[in-house]
């Protein structure tokens, strides 16, 4: 009898504990919208918090953002692909819908030499007001008498490669892009407050790492509704 009582007695309390667990977890689930929970801001480790309209592939659900704003985490960095180039998101300003990016290749390659212009066609992004061109000239037969950034790794004694701000100024220095086999324009942020003296002391790679800002517009309001705000 004693043994049976002993073995019976835990059951009511076990049921009670189960009941408490079930009711409390039901309350927990009801109190938080699961879609909202799936979309809380997230970081890749380094860099800014990612939230709507941006969303992180494999970490968050597609309904958290817009397909044009898909972020992939690579080596702890948030990476956005624009016209098949990868850009590291250095900062995102949700208040004025803009973000600062730098081409991911600059961080990987020993001789980063962008070979095409940045195209924002068919994207919801646009260059910000601060954007100014940093132009890279390749395989030139001569170098201008003008402040330039040497691309030592892409030059030899007969063919020079270099970068300049304000390529328009080169013409005043009797330079012509005809001296060069090709050139590309890289967008750069140049604010009024930029110190050109310190900018000219930097090397080519460090200038490229400063990055440039883009702003965005979201036209499709279906997706903001789907994201539950
Ligand atoms: C991301 O958000 C969390 C929570 O609001 C905050 O503590 C953290 O500082 C933010 N990180 C960045 C890089 O803004
Ligand atoms: C993505 O961006 C393009 C260009 O702005 C736009 O035509 C398209 O509707 C956008 N897609 C979504 C789902 O917002
Ligand atoms: C980008 O900005 C220009 C003017 O600054 C405007 O004409 C153009 O429509 C904008 N493009 C997008 C996709 O917002
Ligand atoms: C957006 O806001 C940030 C932070 O206030 C500011 O640093 C940045 O210059 C602004 N960008 C534009 C394009 O207005
Ligand atoms: C982005 O910046 C451009 C240039 O300053 C401006 O014309 C455009 O209205 C901005 N777009 C948004 C969505 O803020
Ligand atoms: C520079 O010249 C070399 C050799 O002719 C060529 O391989 C390379 O593609 C050229 N670079 C550019 C950017 O034109
Ligand atoms: C410089 O590079 C070009 C293209 O790679 C090559 O044709 C030329 O012979 C090189 N000149 C010297 C002096 O190495
Ligand atoms: C450019 O060339 C013109 C005519 O050959 C000359 O008068 C002028 O001094 C040159 N300018 C510079 C900056 O070398
Ligand atoms: C980049 O754009 C400029 C015009 O802004 C053009 O002259 C140049 O040829 C373009 N470069 C390439 C590689 O398409
Ligand atoms: C600009 O940078 C140089 C070198 O870093 C420094 O000596 C100079 O004081 C700076 N000028 C201003 C106006 O900040
Ligand atoms: C550029 O300067 C940084 C330090 O500011 C240095 O670490 C880097 O090696 C330099 N790169 C080149 C290509 O000289």
């Amino acid at each position: 009898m004693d043994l049976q009582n002993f073995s019976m007695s835990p059951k009511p309390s076990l049921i009670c504990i189960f009941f408490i667990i079930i009711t409390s977890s039901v309350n927990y689930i009801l109190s938080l919208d699961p879609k909202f929970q799936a979309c809380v801001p997230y970081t890749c480790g380094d860099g800014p918090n990612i939230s709507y309209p941006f969303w992180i592939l494999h970490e968050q659900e597609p309904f958290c953002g817009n397909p044009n704003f898909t972020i992939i985490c690579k080596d702890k960095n948030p990476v956005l692909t624009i016209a098949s180039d990868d850009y590291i998101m250095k900062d995102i300003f949700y208040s004025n819908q803009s973000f600062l990016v730098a081409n991911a290749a600059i961080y990987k390659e020993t001789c980063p030499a962008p070979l095409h212009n940045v195209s924002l066609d068919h994207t919801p992004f646009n260059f910000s007001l601060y954007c100014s061109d940093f132009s890279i000239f390749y395989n030139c037969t001569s170098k201008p008498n003008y402040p330039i950034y040497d691309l030592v790794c892409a030059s030899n004694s007969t063919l020079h490669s270099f970068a300049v701000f304000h390529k328009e100024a080169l013409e005043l220095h009797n330079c012509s892009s005809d001296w060069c086999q090709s050139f590309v324009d890289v967008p750069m942020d140049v604010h009024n407050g930029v110190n050109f003296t310190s900018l000219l002391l930097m090397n080519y790679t460090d200038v490229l790492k400063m990055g440039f800002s883009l702003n965005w517009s979201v036209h499709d309001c279906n997706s903001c509704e789907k994201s539950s705000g």
Side-chain angles (χ1 to χ4, degrees):
M1 278 292 268
D2 273 0
L3 196 68
Q4 203 179 357
N5 268 345
F6 183 79
S7 66
M8 289 289 281
S9 65
K11 278 184 182 165
S13 58
L14 265 183
I15 288 165
C16 196
I17 287 166
F18 272 124
F19 186 71
I20 289 166
I21 289 172
I22 288 164
T23 49
S24 62
S25 56
V26 165
N27 280 339
Y28 183 69
I29 288 163
L30 287 178
S31 67
L32 286 167
D33 179 347
K35 277 200 166 181
F36 178 78
Q37 265 216 301
C39 299
V40 294
Y42 197 94
T43 77
C44 288
D46 293 335
N49 285 327
I50 306 299
S51 59
Y52 183 84
F54 297 96
W55 66 286
I56 305 178
L57 188 69
H58 305 312
E59 300 288 348
Q60 293 179 319
E61 300 294 333
F63 58 69
C64 296
N66 177 300
N68 283 326
F69 294 79
T70 307
I71 300 282
I72 296 171
C73 291
K74 285 187 183 164
D75 301 328
K76 291 190 167 184
N77 288 306
V79 171
L80 178 70
T81 303
I82 304 172
S84 60
D85 285 320
D86 282 355
Y87 293 89
I88 293 178
M89 304 286 282
K90 291 160 66 90
D91 216 339
I92 304 177
F93 307 107
Y94 294 96
S95 56
N96 56 19
Q97 303 206 328
S98 67
F99 56 101
L100 180 64
V101 290
N103 194 319
I106 300 158
Y107 293 85
K108 276 188 290 193
E109 292 166 13
T110 49
C111 185
L115 293 176
H116 51 261
N117 293 323
V118 176
S119 163
L120 298 180
D121 292 349
H122 313 298
T123 75
F125 311 121
N126 216 333
F127 295 111
S128 85
L129 267 182
Y130 301 134
C131 246
S132 153
D133 283 336
F134 185 55
S135 305
I136 307 174
F137 292 84
Y138 293 104
N139 293 344
C140 308
T141 49
S142 183
K143 281 202 283 191
N145 179 22
Y146 180 76
I148 59 165
Y149 296 86
D150 267 313
L151 267 75
V152 177
C153 56
S155 303
N156 65 19
S157 54
T158 51
L159 291 176
H160 312 282
S161 298
F162 57 87
V164 295
F165 280 108
H166 306 304
K167 64 171 180 287
E168 315 79 58
L170 285 179
E171 282 171 23
L172 302 174
H173 288 77
N174 291 342
C175 297
S176 158
S177 54
D178 297 345
W179 297 352
C180 307
Q181 277 172 20
S182 63
F183 86 91
V184 299
D185 286 334
V186 180
M188 289 288 310
D189 272 11
V190 182
H191 306 227
N192 285 331
V194 153
N195 179 340
F196 273 99
T197 312
S198 61
L199 201 56
L200 288 171
L201 291 174
M202 292 167 73
N203 63 36
Y204 162 79
T205 320
D206 286 342
V207 171
L208 288 182
K209 282 181 183 172
M210 287 168 51
F212 59 93
S213 337
L214 298 175
N215 62 13
W216 77 78
S217 48
V218 188
H219 299 297
D220 173 19
C221 237
N222 262 342
S223 45
C224 19
E225 277 159 26
K226 271 189 267 162
S227 81
S228 342

